[in-house]
Amino acid sequence: MNIAKKVTWLELFYDLLFVAAVSKATHVLLHADHGTVSLEYILKFVLIFIPIWWAWVGQTLFNNRYGQDVFAHRIYMILQLFFVLIMTFSLSPDFDRYYVPFFIGYIGSRVLTALQYLAIHKGEESHRAATARFLGTRFWIGIVISSASLFFDSWVRYLILYAGIAIDVFLPVIGRRFLVHTPINTHHLLERFALFTLILLGESVVSTLAVLQNSNGTWASILFAALAFILVIGIWWQYFENIERKVDKALQTAGQTIIYGHLLVYLSLSTIAASIQLLFLEQLDYHFILVMVFLSVLLYFVSTTIIFHRYRHKHLQLRPVHLALFLGILGGFFVIDLFIVVPNYVIMAEMALFFLVYARLATR
């Protein structure tokens, strides 16, 4: 049985430093130009977001399997915080200008994670020792490849940097045969990912406040902000009710559905936060922002459905009729809005209604 593992105060403090990182990544999507957010900025948003997510995941998974609230582990995490600060400072669409500090921040955090596994494996036994040894040695492959980017210039350096990051990210999938014998603590991992989700929801609240601040408090802006707030509440209701009451926290797994599924959840929540501001400001082409809003919500729906279906108690899993209903509502709204130009508050009302229905049916 999965015994509950307590989240430490240092872990919570660690999360707070990622608030600034997530905020800077989300703001990349606010670069509106000629009625669109260019493919360049969308790609840069993803390329900035993935290292943030993976740096956080790396330390979180170590703490989940091996972490103890002892002096040595605290020192490792405090050093991690230092490198996270450097990485956060360097997050910018101007990659060339901040490449070196970004590299130092990201690689520094990954080196510390690899060293933690190497330091802990000698004190472990059997499968736990094998898992720590595998991760502690193999993570150096991605680190070395990414480090080789320092010897190149122009686009080649980024190709090599992200090739190393990609290998790093998919290493746990490759080494699944080790990880299944050292299952994650499901209760702790879901709680950690839920706390990071809360950070992303905070970005949507900030976007809602930005709407009011940029509007001089008109009735139209108040209505839009109120609907945006209902949308956020709908997301909160759906996500945290599932986490608290519907999932089987005693499941013994490698946790990869939670880990990789939440990358999509976090990307979607960031784009939803950006969409709230962009939709209100009306600086984008109508059809572009329409596609952006609906794709963001669809990505959130698909990713959370996959995660919670995997971990829900069998008798609480959603049936195909529910999924068809959710997709029908979302698709119906999109088709109507595609052929009939509607005000921004109508689109926001549709999204709020979708999330309320999703929350109600997915948590009853």
Side-chain angles (χ1 to χ4, degrees), residues 346-363:
V346 172
I347 297 174
M348 189 54 58
E350 292 170 344
M351 296 303 96
L353 179 60
F354 169 79
F355 276 110
L356 290 178
V357 174
Y358 185 27
R360 179 67 183 91
L361 295 182
T363 60

Side-chain angles (χ1 to χ4, degrees), residues 102-177:
F102 171 80
F103 172 86
I104 293 172
Y106 175 75
I107 293 298
S109 69
R110 296 303 297 149
V111 166
L112 283 171
T113 299
L115 289 175
Q116 282 180 288
Y117 281 113
L118 291 177
I120 201 72
H121 94 273
K122 293 181 180 180
E124 298 290 338
E125 297 179 354
S126 187
H127 294 302
R128 286 177 60 82
T131 297
R133 183 169 56 251
F134 172 80
L135 295 175
T137 55
R138 302 307 193 275
F139 274 143
W140 288 97
I141 298 172
I143 291 170
V144 170
I145 291 174
S146 291
S147 297
S149 67
L150 290 174
F151 300 100
F152 296 87
D153 204 352
S154 68
W155 62 270
V156 178
R157 65 157 47 166
Y158 298 106
L159 181 64
I160 296 173
L161 171 69
Y162 280 92
I165 293 175
I167 290 172
D168 215 33
V169 168
F170 287 106
L171 182 69
V173 177
I174 298 169
R176 183 178 174 81
R177 68 183 186 278

Side-chain angles (χ1 to χ4, degrees), residues 114-267:
L115 289 175
Q116 282 180 288
Y117 281 113
L118 291 177
I120 201 72
H121 94 273
K122 293 181 180 180
E124 298 290 338
E125 297 179 354
S126 187
H127 294 302
R128 286 177 60 82
T131 297
R133 183 169 56 251
F134 172 80
L135 295 175
T137 55
R138 302 307 193 275
F139 274 143
W140 288 97
I141 298 172
I143 291 170
V144 170
I145 291 174
S146 291
S147 297
S149 67
L150 290 174
F151 300 100
F152 296 87
D153 204 352
S154 68
W155 62 270
V156 178
R157 65 157 47 166
Y158 298 106
L159 181 64
I160 296 173
L161 171 69
Y162 280 92
I165 293 175
I167 290 172
D168 215 33
V169 168
F170 287 106
L171 182 69
V173 177
I174 298 169
R176 183 178 174 81
R177 68 183 186 278
F178 291 98
L179 303 185
V180 293
H181 296 298
T182 314
I184 50 95
N185 185 297
T186 304
H187 183 281
H188 176 266
L189 196 66
L190 284 172
E191 186 174 0
R192 296 294 292 118
F193 276 88
L195 289 168
F196 202 84
T197 300
L198 208 56
I199 293 174
L200 270 298
L201 277 179
E203 279 299 302
S204 292
V205 173
V206 169
S207 293
T208 303
L209 291 173
V211 165
L212 293 174
Q213 291 172 345
N214 293 329
S215 64
N216 298 320
T218 63
W219 284 109
S221 65
I222 293 173
L223 173 62
F224 184 92
L227 292 169
F229 183 68
I230 294 172
L231 180 151
V232 173
I233 292 300
I235 296 175
W236 173 85
W237 180 13
Q238 177 273 328
Y239 183 92
F240 287 95
E241 186 73 9
N242 273 287
I243 287 289
E244 189 65 26
R245 302 179 185 277
K246 305 299 180 180
V247 298
D248 184 358
K249 297 176 182 177
L251 278 179
Q252 299 281 304
T253 72
Q256 293 179 351
T257 303
I258 297 173
I259 297 163
Y260 298 103
H262 271 86
L263 172 60
L264 301 181
V265 172
Y266 296 157
L267 287 171

Side-chain angles (χ1 to χ4, degrees), residues 54-93:
W54 190 241
W56 180 86
V57 165
Q59 185 61 42
T60 297
L61 286 177
F62 176 84
N63 288 339
N64 183 269
R65 283 193 172 94
Y66 301 101
Q68 302 175 42
D69 193 17
V70 296
F71 180 76
H73 288 194
R74 288 184 177 186
I75 293 300
Y76 272 112
M77 283 200 69
I78 290 170
L79 291 173
Q80 284 260 10
L81 292 174
F82 172 72
F83 285 108
V84 170
L85 280 173
I86 296 175
M87 183 174 66
T88 301
F89 150 75
S90 64
L91 295 176
S92 169

Side-chain angles (χ1 to χ4, degrees), residues 290-304:
L290 189 68
V291 170
M292 182 176 178
V293 169
F294 276 85
L295 279 181
S296 300
V297 173
L298 179 63
L299 181 60
Y300 176 86
F301 167 71
V302 171
S303 54
T304 52

